[in-house]
Structure formats: structure tokens, C-alpha cells
Amino acid sequence: MRRRKFILLTGSAALCSFAARAQQASKVPRIGYLGVTSPFDRPLLLDAFRQGLRERGLIEGQNIVIDYRFAEGRLDRLPDLAAELVRLNVDVIVSLGTQGVTAAKNATKSIPIVMIGVRDPVGIGLIASLARPGGNITGVSGSAGLEIVTKQLELLKETVPKIQRVAILSNPANAYHQLAIKELNVAALSLGVQLQLLEARGPNEFDGAFAAMAEERVEALLVLSDVIFNDHRARLVDLAAMNRLPTAYGIRESVEAGGVMSYGPSFLDFFRRSTAYVDKILKGVKPTDLPVEQPTKFELIINLRTARTLGIEIPLTLLSRADEVIE
């Protein structure tokens, strides 16, 4: 009897062990997507993300689950949404921009985080270095350095050579902007322009910022790239048009909405490349072993129609360098 009982217990233990292994093997990976804006803001980016996953054999609803959380432009919601994804015990969190990734980092030190388009992640303290990020964050950086904002100011000056007073619109909630402004102050000296620094945390502060620009009689505007500004790009473009301000942006969608020009990396490329990180992490690679990539594709987009409306004649040398001209 004792022998029979021992065999039964051993057999039961083996079956339990086998069942546990089978359950673990069949566990469907969960990806947490933390969006700062809404799912309707630049939907092509999410499409590119899903397509990139499919190309790697990761199909939503079949062999992966994606838990979406969107802050709808309310930055104060990001900590709670990030905490929700942590409670769901997702295998990896993906987020676009400084604010989203920062919220994810504050919510977990163990779940891997794939960042998309974060400007200068080393400078703002999200990672230790590009080659050895350390911690639980890796992904695709949003710029090759602070030189990109200098380039945007240079292109704006080249577009309207006579400008002397340029407004810079920044978001104080974006840590990258503090570094960018220091860089722009240096660049302004060499370009011979005077900067007017203005802040806005959201659309409710846009009118006040543009009123200040009118009062100071600025002649052009540079809008620093930010997920909130990008989400409300149509409103910013309208205000710039009402004030007849030639304006430079960091994303092409602002030019498609009627802005004069943009210079920056391709966000579609960011989202596609981020899926390689998700795939490797789900296969067991640690974020600290995955170097952060920098942009490889930059685009200069010019809206010739808007320039003509403002009475600006774009230099032919600049038009010839543009990746796309909207007429």
C-alpha cells in the first residue's frame, strides 16, 4: 500500500509539473502600449507598429495581446495608466515620447520598457548611455543629439533670412526642452537672432503664448517637438497663420496641416524599428543588452503653398534639398 501510494504521489507530481510547463509554454505574451495622446492621433504610426510586429510573426489577437492605455493628452493620467499596465503584468511596455517613457520608468524597475522617439534619453537621465542603457529601458532615440534643434533654427533663418526675433515654444513638462533651449541660445548668437522663450503645457495655454509673440513682434516661430504639441498641431498651425508667422516644426504632419516647414526624423521609421526590440525582449533578451538606436532617416518637408500665402519666397537652394515639397 505504501509503495502504491508513493507511485500515485510521484505520478501526480509529474502530471502537475507537466501541466505547469504546458501552461507556461502556452502563455500568450502581453505588450503594454502607453499612449500620451489618443489612438486617433497619427493612426499610421500604430499601424506601422502592428505591421512591424506581424512581419516578425507577432500577430495581435493570435499569439500576442496588446493592452492599450491612452492619456488623451492629459499628462496627469500617465502615472495611473502606467501603474495599470504594471498590474496587468505585461511582458514589455512600449511608449512614445519623454513623458510616457518617464511615467513607465517611474512605475516599474523590472518590466522592460521600449521607448520610441525620446529626445536625448541620456541627457534627461532615462538611460546611462546609448551603447549600454542599463536598467530596464532601451529602444529608439528621437534624435542624434541636440544639434537637430540647431539645424531647425538654421533652416528657419535660411527660409526667411531677414528675421531677427524668433519665438521658441516649449513645454515645461518635457525635460528635453530644457536642454534644447540651452543649445538654441548658443546657436542664436552665431545666427544673429534674438530668441523669445515661451511655454505652454497644453492647448489652453496656446493663446497666451501667441499673444506674447504678437506683443513682442516676433518674426518667426520654432515649435519644439513634443507629443502634446504634435497632437494639437492643427491648432498651432492655425494660430501661426493668424499671426502670419513662418514656423518650423519637428514633424512632417505639422507641415501637412499647413505649417511652412519641418525637419526631423521619420516617426514611421521609429515605430517599425521599435518592433525589433519588442521581439528580442519577448524572446528573453534583457533591455540592458540592447543598445539604443539613433535616427537614421531625417526629412526636410516644405509647404510651398503656405509660404506663398505668407509672402515668403523659399530659396531654390533649400527647395532642392527638401525631401518633399507640398504645392
Side-chain angles (χ1 to χ4, degrees), residues 82-101:
E84 283 184 27
L85 292 175
V86 173
R87 286 195 295 271
L88 287 172
N89 197 29
V90 295
D91 297 286
V92 58
I93 296 175
V94 179
S95 190
L96 167 68
T98 302
Q99 294 98 320
V101 176

Side-chain angles (χ1 to χ4, degrees), residues 214-290:
E215 186 176 343
E216 293 295 326
R217 298 183 179 181
V218 299
E219 300 160 287
L221 168 64
L222 170 58
V223 177
L224 297 181
S225 187
D226 175 81
V227 288
I228 299 299
F229 294 169
N230 298 344
D231 186 31
H232 296 279
R233 56 191 174 275
R235 176 65 177 151
L236 288 170
V237 166
D238 288 345
L239 285 167
M242 288 169 55
N243 288 272
R244 298 192 61 79
L245 286 174
T247 306
Y249 303 87
I251 61 168
R252 64 175 296 134
E253 287 87 351
S254 293
V255 182
E256 292 169 352
V260 173
M261 62 171 293
S262 69
Y263 179 76
S266 167
F267 275 78
L268 281 173
D269 186 49
F270 284 166
F271 274 76
R272 294 190 191 100
R273 289 163 61 192
S274 73
T275 60
Y277 286 89
V278 173
D279 184 39
K280 290 175 182 177
I281 287 171
L282 292 180
K283 289 177 178 175
V285 182
K286 296 179 180 179
T288 190
D289 295 328
L290 295 172

Side-chain angles (χ1 to χ4, degrees), residues 16-180:
C16 289
S17 177
F18 175 79
R21 288 197 301 270
Q23 184 178 7
Q24 187 175 7
S26 62
K27 179 181 180 293
V28 178
R30 302 185 75 93
I31 300 170
Y33 183 88
L34 181 61
V36 178
T37 56
S38 78
F40 308 107
D41 175 43
R42 296 194 283 175
L44 289 178
L45 299 182
L46 269 180
D47 289 344
F49 179 70
R50 296 187 188 102
Q51 178 60 33
L53 291 174
R54 284 194 294 270
E55 291 171 358
R56 300 178 188 282
L58 300 171
I59 303 172
E60 185 178 7
Q62 292 188 19
N63 57 1
I64 59 167
V65 172
I66 304 180
D67 294 301
Y68 298 95
R69 295 294 184 276
F70 294 95
E72 304 285 348
R74 288 182 50 191
L75 299 182
D76 59 304
R77 295 185 61 200
L78 285 171
D80 289 339
L81 295 177
E84 283 184 27
L85 292 175
V86 173
R87 286 195 295 271
L88 287 172
N89 197 29
V90 295
D91 297 286
V92 58
I93 296 175
V94 179
S95 190
L96 167 68
T98 302
Q99 294 98 320
V101 176
T102 300
K105 180 182 180 181
N106 291 337
T108 178
K109 298 295 186 291
S110 57
I111 297 176
I113 298 169
V114 174
M115 63 178 170
I116 303 176
V118 173
R119 311 279 180 171
D120 197 9
V122 177
I124 62 177
L126 283 176
I127 59 174
S129 71
L130 297 176
R132 297 181 179 276
N136 60 326
I137 300 177
T138 187
V140 186
S141 168
S143 71
L146 290 168
E147 295 84 0
I148 190 169
V149 292
T150 298
K151 184 67 174 179
Q152 290 166 350
L153 186 60
E154 290 173 351
L155 289 168
L156 187 56
K157 176 70 171 175
E158 186 176 352
T159 302
V160 195
K162 294 182 180 180
I163 57 172
Q164 294 181 327
R165 296 176 64 80
V166 180
I168 307 295
L169 185 62
S170 66
N171 185 343
N174 191 325
Y176 168 75
H177 287 186
Q178 300 167 25
L179 302 176

